[in-house]
Structure formats: C-alpha cells, structure tokens
C-alpha cells in the first residue's frame, strides 16, 4: 500500500531530507586519499546527532554503521572499515536519518582526488540518470515511466543498470511501497499521485549488471569487478511536478 503524505508531512520529510543533504555535503568535503571509511562513518554519526536526528541505518536488519560507504566495484551497502581511500577511487556515501518521526535517505558518489575520464563519465551518467527518472515523477505518470527513463539514459551511454536493488517510498518508515526498479518498460505499475514521496536510487555499472554479495552479508559488488556508481534523492510528487527534498 502506498501512503500519500499531507503537505504538513512533506514539510517534515523536507526537514529530514535536508539534514541528510547537509551531512552528505560535510562528509564529501572530507573525502581525500588516506581517509578511512570508518572515519567518515564516525563523522556521520556525530553530524547526525548535531542535527537532532537518529541514524536510520544502524541496527536496521543488524546493519552495523550509520553510513554505507561503497568503494569502486562495491555497488551499495559497503560497511565502513579501516580501508584508506586512494587517489583515483570513487566512493558512494549513502545516509539515512530519522527526524521528528520521518525518514530522510540520499546518496552521492564522489571522486577521491583525480579520477580517470571513464570514472568521471560513470558519475556524470549515473547522476543524470537519477534526474531523468525524477523528471518522470509527476502526477498521472506510471511508476515504470521513471524506471524506463533511467534505464534508457544509462544504456545509451553503454553502461548497465543494476536489477537486484530498487528505490522505495519513504515516510514514517525507511522503506515503504512502492518498490521502484531502475529498468523496465514504460506505462506499468501504479499511477503516480500527489503526496507520494519516493527515493529514486539508480546504481550503474561500467560492465555487466550482475551482482554478488560478499561474505559480510551486506556488501554488494559487481560480479565482473567493474566500477559502480549510485546516486539517490528523496522526491515528493506535487501538482507542480517533482520536488527534490534532499537537496540543499
Ligand atoms: N539507501 C539504501 C536503502 O534505502 C540504504 C539502506 S542501508 C541499510 O535501501 F543498512 F539500512 F539497509
Ligand atoms: Co534508499
């Protein structure tokens, strides 16, 4: 069941999402060669508390950290550890918080120092794929109009879109209906309505779309070892069109 939100609820969701955006901005400023993903997670925990929020991921299905930090061939759900980021790496920072009873969730993938032109292209194409999807988040459209716009953009640039993970509704729960695949034919699924709040989160691989899960039970990596990027925004569907809640 898809829960539509009132305009008062959307105001709170904007507040929680905006805090995620502010924290991601501060984390991103710390990304440089030599920094560990554990340091980023500890900083995230402090910032979450300073903003009056509760970490959304820590303890969720026993996930052990506040942040997901996914490096290079890691797609999503990378667990922060003592690995030092290196010049040329890319790292996805995915963060969720709860504020005033409502969740915020967003992700960015950032370069570590100088990265190769092909990696730069991966980040650009993935972020733009997110915006192509967001543009379809309008009342009257169908859910898979979002999926299709995302997939079309990615495949046009000869990358592949991950099938095994989806976007989701968000509200008083971190994950609500509907599930939002990043691929598929347009014109299917529920009709989009005013008041729906959706997290769109395309994951794009340089090589094939196949995924493997590491022995830690969380970290999703590309089966072929190619690099992967991930961007996520929380978006409210309004009469006037898509309203991005997790921007600055
Ligand atoms: N942004 C991801 C999601 O919405 C991150 C979840 S990490 C978890 O599904 F630890 F909370 F599972
Ligand atoms: Co999410």
């Amino acid at each position: 069941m898809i829960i539509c939100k009132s305009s008062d609820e959307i105001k709170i969701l904007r507040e929680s999402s905006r805090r995620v955006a502010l924290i991601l901005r501060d984390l991103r400023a710390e990304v440089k060669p030599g920094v560990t993903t554990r340091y980023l997670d500890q900083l995230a925990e402090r910032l979450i508390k300073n903003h009056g929020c509760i970490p959304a991921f820590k303890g969720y299905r026993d996930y052990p950290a506040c942040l997901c930090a996914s490096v290079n061939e890691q797609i999503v759900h990378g667990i922060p550890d003592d690995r030092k980021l290196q010049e040329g790496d890319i790292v996805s920072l995915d963060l969720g918080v709860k504020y005033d009873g409502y969740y915020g969730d967003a992700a960015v993938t950032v370069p570590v120092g100088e990265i190769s032109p092909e990696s730069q292209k991966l980040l650009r194409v993935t972020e733009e794929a997110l915006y192509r999807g967001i543009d379809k988040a309008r009342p009257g459209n169908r859910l898979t109009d979002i999926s299709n716009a995302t997939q079309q953009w990615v495949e046009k640039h000869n990358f592949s879109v991950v099938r095994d993970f989806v976007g989701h509704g968000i509200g008083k729960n971190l994950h609500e209906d509907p599930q939002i695949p990043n691929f598929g034919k347009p014109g299917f699924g529920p009709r989009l309505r005013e008041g729906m709040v959706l997290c769109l989160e395309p994951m794009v691989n340089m090589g094939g779309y196949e995924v493997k899960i590491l022995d830690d039970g969380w970290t999703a990596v590309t089966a072929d070892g190619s690099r992967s990027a991930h961007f996520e925004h929380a978006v409210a569907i309004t009469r006037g069109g898509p309203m991005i809640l997790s921007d600055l």
Side-chain angles (χ1 to χ4, degrees):
M1 188 205 30
I2 303 177
I3 303 165
C4 287
K5 278 78 185 179
S6 68
S7 61
D8 284 343
E9 289 181 292
I10 289 175
K11 280 187 195 131
I12 306 174
L13 283 159
R14 164 65 175 154
E15 285 307 309
S16 52
S17 299
R18 197 174 62 86
R19 283 165 171 76
V20 173
L22 289 167
I23 296 166
L24 285 175
R25 182 192 63 186
D26 289 351
L27 292 177
R28 165 178 204 134
E30 294 295 317
V31 169
K32 42 180 131 0
V35 160
T36 67
T37 51
R38 195 187 302 284
Y39 167 78
L40 295 173
D41 182 57
Q42 288 166 346
L43 177 58
E45 184 150 26
R46 284 204 300 278
L47 293 169
I48 289 168
K49 290 189 176 134
N50 291 345
H51 281 286
C53 301
I54 298 169
F57 296 170
K58 200 171 202 167
Y60 179 86
R61 300 192 186 185
D62 291 329
Y63 185 74
C66 294
L67 181 72
C68 296
S70 309
V71 184
N72 296 341
E73 78 289 351
Q74 298 177 350
I75 302 168
V76 285
H77 305 161
I79 301 173
D81 62 11
D82 294 317
R83 170 182 189 158
K84 288 190 167 99
L85 296 173
Q86 291 185 25
E87 179 93 20
D89 285 347
I90 57 173
V91 58
S92 147
L93 305 175
D94 186 356
L95 188 80
V97 305
K98 190 178 187 181
Y99 174 78
D100 203 4
Y102 288 82
Y103 283 89
D105 180 17
V108 290
T109 302
V110 301
V112 183
E114 258 323 274
I115 61 170
S116 70
E118 188 67 0
S119 290
Q120 289 175 28
K121 180 185 161 195
L122 179 70
L123 301 196
R124 272 203 319 271
V125 168
T126 308
E127 187 169 22
E128 180 64 20
L130 170 60
Y131 283 97
R132 298 273 159 156
I134 290 172
D135 186 58
K136 302 293 178 194
R138 299 172 183 280
N141 280 357
R142 296 269 187 185
L143 184 78
T144 67
D145 296 345
I146 295 173
S147 317
N148 183 257
T150 306
Q151 180 183 20
Q152 293 290 332
W153 178 257
V154 169
E155 292 183 354
K156 185 169 126 180
H157 293 87
N158 297 312
F159 293 142
S160 64
V161 67
V162 171
R163 266 89 162 136
D164 295 38
F165 298 99
V166 294
H168 51 94
I170 191 167
K172 288 184 181 174
N173 301 291
L174 175 62
H175 295 138
E176 295 184 359
D177 287 344
Q179 297 198 104
I180 309 161
N182 294 297
F183 69 100
K185 289 185 195 157
F188 290 85
R191 209 173 274 290
L192 302 179
R193 303 200 187 279
E194 202 180 341
M196 291 181 181
V197 179
L198 308 177
C199 285
L200 308 187
E201 49 181 318
M203 289 140 268
V204 174
N205 298 350
M206 273 189 187
Y209 59 72
E210 296 85 356
V211 167
K212 272 192 324 198
I213 306 293
L214 298 186
D215 287 336
D216 62 23
W218 279 102
T219 314
V221 300
T222 59
D224 61 11
S226 68
R227 287 187 169 197
S228 184
H230 173 219
F231 284 82
E232 176 175 16
H233 269 313
V235 180
I237 297 177
T238 76
R239 208 170 320 173
M243 185 169 121
I244 301 176
L245 303 179
S246 49
D247 61 4
L248 291 172

